[in-house]
């Protein structure tokens, strides 16, 4: 956990430097929403589905040159057994450099998760590659770790924790009027195992 906190701190410092470097750049803004069909697998992570989750998300962000800052909220409905979950998160992502059309990036986030059995704050460390096709399609490969800051908070109750590693692939297609549609598949493994398909709509503006 200490190492990951240092990673988040390093990302925060890098983001602060990027903000300073991009101070003269004109910011652009975006907002949107998405829906995810999230299938929780059994403990063996086989094809057997233990729970079905419907996740509705909304987000708002600002782009400053190579830096992107984003706030996100989620409402998650759990079926059989019935339940309800929520999430709030702030994230910073930094494009490193573009070579032959490929852009590596790093990102960090902190958030708060509310579940039926446990509530906690968490951190995220993420890295990946982005590639643009003909100015119309953006492809992204990503890998991230998400974990509670600590497992000993007084407000944490229960054994269903949140430390997972997720690998994902996504495609974003540009539409008229500064809109875009995003389709994503994610495979998440750890304290819980999920396979998730999601689709979202984003609108960009100054």
């Amino acid at each position: 956990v200490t190492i990951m906190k240092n990673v988040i701190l390093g990302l925060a410092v890098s983001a602060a430097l990027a903000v300073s470097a991009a101070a003269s750049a004109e910011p652009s803004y975006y907002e949107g929403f998405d829906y995810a069909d999230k299938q929780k697998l059994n403990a063996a992570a086989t094809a057997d589905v233990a729970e079905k989750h419907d996740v509705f998300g909304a987000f708002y962000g600002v782009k400053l040159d190579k830096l992107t800052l984003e706030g996100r909220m989620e409402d998650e409905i759990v079926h059989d057994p019935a339940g309800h979950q929520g999430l709030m998160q702030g994230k910073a992502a930094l494009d490193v450099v573009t070579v032959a059309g490929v852009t590596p990036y790093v990102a960090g986030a902190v958030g708060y998760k509310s579940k039926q059995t446990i509530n906690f704050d968490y951190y995220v460390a993420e890295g990946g590659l982005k590639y643009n096709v003909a100015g119309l399609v953006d492809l992204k490969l990503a890998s991230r770790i998400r974990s509670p800051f600590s497992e000993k908070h007084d407000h944490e109750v229960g054994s269903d924790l949140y430390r997972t590693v997720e690998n994902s692939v996504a495609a974003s297609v540009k539409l008229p009027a500064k809109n875009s549609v995003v389709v994503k598949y994610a495979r998440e493994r750890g304290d819980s195992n999920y396979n998730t398909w999601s689709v979202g709509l984003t609108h960009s503006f100054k």
Side-chain angles (χ1 to χ4, degrees), residues 4 38 72 74 76 87 89 109 113 120 122-126 144-149 161-166 188-189 191 194:
M4 297 311 301
K38 188 174 180 180
R72 178 177 180 83
E74 289 182 0
E76 186 167 345
L87 177 147
Q89 177 180 282
K113 178 71 175 181
F120 50 83
Y122 64 87
Y123 63 85
V124 174
E126 179 180 325
R144 64 103 177 116
I145 182 172
R146 181 165 52 188
S147 178
F149 277 107
L161 301 180
Y162 205 51
R163 185 177 179 85
T164 61
V165 174
E166 179 186 277
E188 187 175 359
R189 298 294 184 267
D191 290 324
Y194 297 96

Side-chain angles (χ1 to χ4, degrees), residues 78-202:
V78 183
H79 304 275
D80 192 26
H84 206 81
Q85 303 181 18
L87 177 147
M88 294 184 295
Q89 177 180 282
K91 180 177 181 180
L94 181 66
D95 292 342
V96 179
V97 66
T98 300
V99 178
V102 179
T103 304
Y105 76 93
V106 292
V110 293
Y112 183 79
K113 178 71 175 181
S114 173
K115 303 182 71 174
Q116 297 100 303
T117 57
I118 188 172
N119 301 318
F120 50 83
D121 45 6
Y122 64 87
Y123 63 85
V124 174
E126 179 180 325
L129 300 172
K130 298 189 290 186
Y131 182 72
N132 181 266
V133 181
L136 296 175
V137 180
D138 291 311
L139 304 177
K140 184 167 75 171
L141 295 174
S143 182
R144 64 103 177 116
I145 182 172
R146 181 165 52 188
S147 178
F149 277 107
S150 171
E151 298 178 3
K152 299 184 181 299
H153 290 324
D154 291 338
H155 63 272
E156 293 183 351
V157 178
S159 59
D160 187 12
L161 301 180
Y162 205 51
R163 185 177 179 85
T164 61
V165 174
E166 179 186 277
N167 297 304
S168 64
V169 57
S172 174
V173 180
K174 292 185 179 179
L175 302 175
K178 296 184 178 181
N179 296 311
S180 61
V181 62
V182 182
V183 177
K184 175 181 174 181
Y185 171 74
R187 183 179 184 274
E188 187 175 359
R189 298 294 184 267
D191 290 324
S192 297
N193 303 303
Y194 297 96
N195 290 338
T196 303
W197 282 97
S198 63
V199 60
L201 181 66
T202 301

Side-chain angles (χ1 to χ4, degrees), residues 40-42 45-51:
K40 184 176 182 178
L41 308 183
N42 58 23
T46 65
D48 296 330
V49 176
E51 293 177 5

